[in-house]
Amino acid sequence: MKIGEAQQIYRNQVKEYQEQKAAISKQLKNIRNQMKISSDKQEQYQSEAATLELTLNALDEKQQEYYDYLDRLADQYCAYWNATVAEQQADAAEEYAIDMGKIMEVAHRIMKGAIVPASDEKKLMEFSFEMYQTAKNIGAMVQRQKKEKYDSLWGEEEEKEYDDPREVAENAEATAGAPEIVEAAEIMETVSQTD
């Protein structure tokens, strides 16, 4: 089962249990009020109240199991999300370092008085106009008779596509050990049968 699917299933279960608990709490409150009003059916009311309290406890226990599993799923989700984002950030940092090396090389070539492609000069100017001006001034002072000519360092750049972290996290396999899905009605029926 995928993490995203498991989260949705168990959130729905928690919601269903919460609704059932609210309804049973309301019934329990009504029975306790009736116990205060009517003294002739005390034994019956006490039995019903005990059954409702046992049912509430059973629902609480199972709901807590679902909460614990949802916490584990959230940890897994975050781990996959963070791993995907870290990979993207590492690639961006690597690309930045490569670009910085190219920019420094373009500045170095210009300072030697070499002719570099206009697109490389433009990239240097966009990065730092001051660095570009300094390189051009130093290059003009060198005044070589024979200037070297270089091809662009950037060439054909290819855009890298990244996975969506949410999609990666939601579609990763959930760990084993998921609690069994039990409808709230089944828990309530089990408690009422033990009376």
Side-chain angles (χ1 to χ4, degrees):
M1 178 182 321
K2 302 203 180 301
I3 292 174
E5 294 168 353
Q7 285 177 320
Q8 189 59 45
I9 289 168
Y10 285 95
R11 283 183 191 131
N12 289 341
Q13 284 300 111
V14 166
K15 182 180 176 187
E16 179 188 340
Y17 275 54
Q18 196 61 38
E19 290 169 358
Q20 289 295 332
K21 285 171 39 181
I24 290 171
S25 292
K26 188 175 181 180
Q27 288 176 353
L28 184 59
K29 183 179 177 184
N30 289 339
I31 288 176
R32 286 185 178 149
N33 286 338
Q34 289 176 358
M35 286 172 65
K36 292 176 185 175
I37 297 170
S38 175
S39 60
D40 59 336
K41 296 183 180 179
Q42 286 296 322
E43 202 171 298
Q44 178 187 349
Y45 289 147
Q46 286 176 347
S47 175
E48 287 180 35
T51 300
L52 290 174
E53 285 177 5
L54 287 173
T55 302
L56 272 176
N57 290 340
L59 288 172
D60 272 340
E61 188 177 310
K62 193 64 175 177
Q63 185 179 24
Q64 188 58 49
E65 186 179 345
Y66 292 155
Y67 275 132
D68 293 344
Y69 186 63
L70 279 169
D71 284 344
R72 292 195 311 264
L73 287 175
D75 290 343
Q76 267 189 290
Y77 183 94
C78 287
Y80 281 107
W81 175 285
N82 290 337
T84 303
V85 169
E87 180 183 331
Q88 292 172 5
Q89 289 173 340
D91 285 350
E94 182 181 342
E95 288 173 15
Y96 179 76
I98 290 169
D99 280 349
M100 286 305 302
K102 290 178 182 179
I103 285 172
M104 298 308 289
E105 181 60 27
V106 169
H108 178 257
R109 289 177 180 178
I110 291 173
M111 285 189 268
K112 289 186 353 183
I115 298 172
V116 296
S119 62
D120 287 10
E121 277 193 42
K122 182 180 179 198
K123 291 212 183 231
L124 175 61
M125 192 183 323
E126 289 171 351
F127 174 74
S128 170
F129 186 73
E130 291 79 22
M131 186 185 290
Y132 170 76
Q133 284 293 75
T134 303
K136 287 298 265 187
N137 290 337
I138 292 172
M141 289 189 315
V142 171
Q143 301 260 334
R144 289 188 168 198
Q145 266 107 23
K146 184 179 176 191
K147 294 185 179 186
E148 296 176 54
K149 188 171 181 175
Y150 293 99
D151 290 330
S152 175
L153 292 173
W154 276 268
E156 295 290 320
E157 292 184 2
E158 193 174 301
E159 282 290 318
K160 185 168 183 179
E161 292 188 27
Y162 292 101
D163 294 331
D164 177 21
R166 176 183 300 217
E167 187 177 309
V168 170
E170 285 182 359
N171 290 318
E173 289 297 317
T175 56
E180 179 185 350
I181 300 288
V182 180
E183 298 298 320
E186 289 180 43
I187 296 270
M188 293 166 40
E189 186 178 308
T190 303
V191 170
S192 62
Q193 288 177 356
T194 59
D195 285 341

